[in-house]
Amino acid sequence: MPAPAGATSVHGLTAFLVFSGLIRLGVCQPHQAAPAVYMIGDSLVDVGNNNYLPLSIAKANFPHNGVDYPAGKPTGRFSNGQNAADFLAKKMGLPTSPPFLSLTGGATPPITGVSFASGGAGILNGTGELLVKQSIPLAQQVDYFALVRDQLVQQLGPAAAQTHLSKSLFAIVIGSNDLFAYFTIGSIVSNQFNPQQYVDLMTSTFRNLLKTLYGMGARKVMVAGVGEIGCCPVQRKLNKTGECNVELNYWSAKYNDGLKIMLESLKSDSPGMNYAYFDTYGAMANLFQKPDTYGFMEIKEACCGLGNLNADVPCIPISRFCSNRKKYVFWDLYHPTEAVSSMFSDLLYSGSQEYTFPMNVKQLLDI
């Protein structure tokens, strides 16, 4: 006998609950490349954590940031629109992972991932304080992930949580701020270490924290190397000819060399772990050498700012900003435009071994 109108059979209710649970776990969404993306890093992938840090001077939750974001809304992204975290999630068939600090009142973290990235953050604990007064350093981001993992275990059970994490992507974009902190005029850390000792300290600290993530279930890790950061507008403006800071670029490349060796070593010590390394430095160098090939015309000046190369003042409401943003490499004195973030996300997700090795992110997720 059919159930009365508006009633639900026990079997129907059970099937609905099971189906809902499968959707929540991503089982019924075959287009997803992974069940979740856990984003760790700095302002290049911050989607709003710094909005919740009262002391931080690294914020982007005001115009003209977000002018090309849906509804022209500033969100805390250091960009005219979306950043690499958004584009990567989209390629994976997932929503952008929300800022960890936005999950207030004991809210359950979404099963599709969480972002811990913070503007000004570094691999070393003191970096953010030196540069921006307050950020979430890498060690703290890992600690925050531990809290999310605990909730996953409660929600799914230990075995299912481990399976979920082993298939998820841990995307890490960090290191630039540590180098900026070292090569800033009057730097405290440059009195404590020579440059080689410093990049070695960055690498060893990073290795220990990656090992901690591995111990908590991370098996698929994407790590972006540091870019050609001596070529950002705030560095170029220090040179009368507008050229790049050669020393900063040299040590960025040296750090990347150590990072690649470290990742290979870590994989050999960590059964079941695989990684994709993105050569941000090489991708940037190629872009600077032939910008018109990729549709860009301005590689030195920031789109949004004031003064020399638009880099004397950050992108704030009184700044001017360019109308042809897709032609600019830099949005502000440090950060790329949405167009560059999109281009680099394409490379790291499905690019050739010229910039992603030993595999790209798509290949990593297929393992």
Side-chain angles (χ1 to χ4, degrees):
M1 179 177 173
T8 306
S9 72
V10 173
H11 293 300
L13 179 60
T14 302
F16 173 76
L17 290 173
V18 169
F19 181 70
S20 300
L22 289 174
I23 286 180
R24 198 171 183 201
L25 290 172
V27 175
C28 287
Q29 298 181 6
H31 66 282
Q32 289 183 353
V37 55
Y38 294 95
M39 183 62 67
I40 292 168
D42 56 27
S43 55
L44 293 170
V45 285
D46 186 354
V47 292
N49 272 309
N50 276 28
N51 298 350
Y52 300 88
L53 299 180
L55 302 180
S56 176
I57 59 171
K59 287 199 166 97
N61 55 343
F62 45 77
H64 304 287
N65 297 295
V67 65
D68 296 310
Y69 196 77
K73 182 185 175 186
T75 59
R77 289 164 173 79
F78 296 80
S79 172
N80 57 302
Q82 298 179 84
N83 66 23
D86 298 298
F87 290 116
L88 180 58
K90 199 177 295 183
K91 287 182 174 300
M92 292 172 61
L94 294 169
T96 298
S97 300
F100 174 78
L101 296 182
S102 71
L103 304 174
T104 54
T108 303
I111 201 81
T112 51
V114 178
S115 171
F116 309 95
S118 167
I123 294 167
L124 305 176
N125 281 339
T127 292
E129 290 177 18
L130 287 172
L131 294 177
V132 300
K133 307 298 183 192
Q134 187 183 21
S135 70
I136 311 170
L138 182 57
Q140 182 68 63
Q141 293 186 39
V142 172
D143 287 345
Y144 283 156
F145 168 72
L147 299 176
V148 170
R149 180 186 179 276
D150 289 346
Q151 288 184 283
L152 271 172
V153 170
Q154 289 176 15
Q155 190 179 347
L156 304 178
Q162 178 56 45
T163 299
H164 168 86
L165 292 172
S166 70
K167 294 179 179 179
S168 297
L169 179 68
F170 290 76
I172 309 176
V173 181
I174 203 163
S176 301
N177 291 318
D178 299 284
L179 290 160
F180 281 132
Y182 187 92
F183 288 99
T184 296
I185 295 169
S187 164
I188 300 169
V189 285
S190 63
N191 295 329
Q192 299 173 286
F193 308 96
N194 67 40
Q196 187 63 58
Q197 289 171 332
Y198 188 72
V199 296
D200 288 346
L201 177 62
M202 286 172 63
T203 307
S204 60
T205 303
F206 198 177
R207 189 187 202 281
N208 290 337
L209 291 168
L210 283 172
K211 197 71 177 172
T212 301
L213 283 173
Y214 173 79
M216 289 191 285
R219 293 295 180 271
K220 298 183 180 188
V221 181
M222 187 285 290
V223 176
V226 169
E228 206 174 11
I229 59 175
C231 296
C232 62
V234 76
Q235 293 294 323
R236 286 187 187 267
K237 74 165 189 171
L238 302 175
N239 189 321
K240 289 178 182 176
T241 60
E243 296 308 305
C244 303
N245 182 330
V246 175
E247 185 182 23
L248 183 51
N249 281 345
Y250 175 82
W251 286 104
S252 297
K254 289 286 281 184
Y255 163 71
N256 288 335
D257 290 341
L259 177 59
K260 286 180 277 189
I261 293 168
M262 179 272 278
L263 288 169
E264 197 174 340
S265 161
L266 181 65
K267 175 176 163 48
S268 67
D269 292 346
S270 310
M273 186 195 122
N274 289 286
Y275 71 91
Y277 170 82
F278 179 59
D279 179 16
T280 317
Y281 191 102
M284 283 183 75
N286 180 52
L287 178 54
F288 291 141
Q289 284 164 14
K290 40 187 179 181
D292 20 342
T293 306
Y294 304 101
F296 295 94
M297 69 173 201
E298 180 54 68
I299 65 171
K300 295 183 178 182
E301 185 175 275
C303 171
C304 184
L306 288 171
N308 185 14
L309 297 181
N310 261 0
D312 289 338
V313 173
C315 186
I316 56 177
I318 63 164
S319 302
R320 64 170 182 262
F321 65 99
C322 63
S323 58
N324 50 346
R325 295 178 285 282
K326 290 184 178 177
K327 299 289 185 183
Y328 274 66
V329 168
F330 290 99
W331 164 241
D332 62 14
L333 66 177
Y334 287 108
H335 304 99
T337 54
E338 179 183 64
V340 172
S341 293
S342 176
M343 174 183 160
F344 283 9
S345 298
D346 287 344
L347 289 175
L348 71 90
Y349 189 75
S350 55
S352 71
Q353 287 201 340
E354 183 179 5
Y355 300 118
T356 54
F357 47 91
M359 65 191 82
N360 59 38
V361 169
K362 187 175 186 302
Q363 291 164 334
L364 174 67
L365 297 176
D366 285 341
I367 292 175

